[in-house]
Amino acid sequence: LADEEEGERDRETATRINQTLQEDETGIVIFGEHHSIQRFLDPNIEFSSLGEEIGQEIGTLDEVVASIRQAREGKTPTSEAKG
């Protein structure tokens, strides 16, 4: 039952994102590791998991935004520090 509830929550969240996220906007969704909203997102919405992309824990919202920008540019904090 818990898996079904999580799946329904994921579907509802993805539906809201599909309906409200405008072109050229970036959305941030923070979920636990057992959620998978990406399977319900419109195919034209790019999705990335910061945990997988960056490989580190992220603390503040400013760090999240900076990490998203770096990931979109193909950088990680480690590669940027090395030059």
Side-chain angles (χ1 to χ4, degrees):
L1 183 61
D3 288 340
E4 289 179 30
E5 289 174 358
E6 282 183 1
E8 185 58 31
R9 245 187 322 228
D10 293 347
R11 182 187 310 276
E12 290 172 3
T13 301
T15 298
R16 278 182 276 173
I17 292 169
N18 293 337
Q19 294 172 347
T20 60
L21 190 65
Q22 301 296 308
E23 191 172 330
D24 297 325
E25 287 185 331
T26 299
I28 299 173
V29 179
I30 300 172
F31 268 115
E33 65 183 273
H34 298 291
H35 289 273
S36 57
I37 66 165
Q38 67 272 24
R39 63 187 168 148
F40 300 113
L41 292 174
D42 287 341
N44 62 331
I45 295 177
E46 181 182 331
F47 176 88
S48 63
S49 170
L50 291 178
E52 294 170 11
E53 289 286 324
I54 296 173
Q56 67 180 26
E57 290 192 30
I58 298 172
T60 68
L61 183 56
D62 288 339
E63 290 171 330
V64 170
V65 171
S67 296
I68 290 170
R69 287 186 179 134
Q70 290 172 344
R72 291 180 97 190
E73 295 170 2
K75 299 177 185 176
T76 63
T78 304
S79 67
E80 192 172 77
K82 292 179 180 178

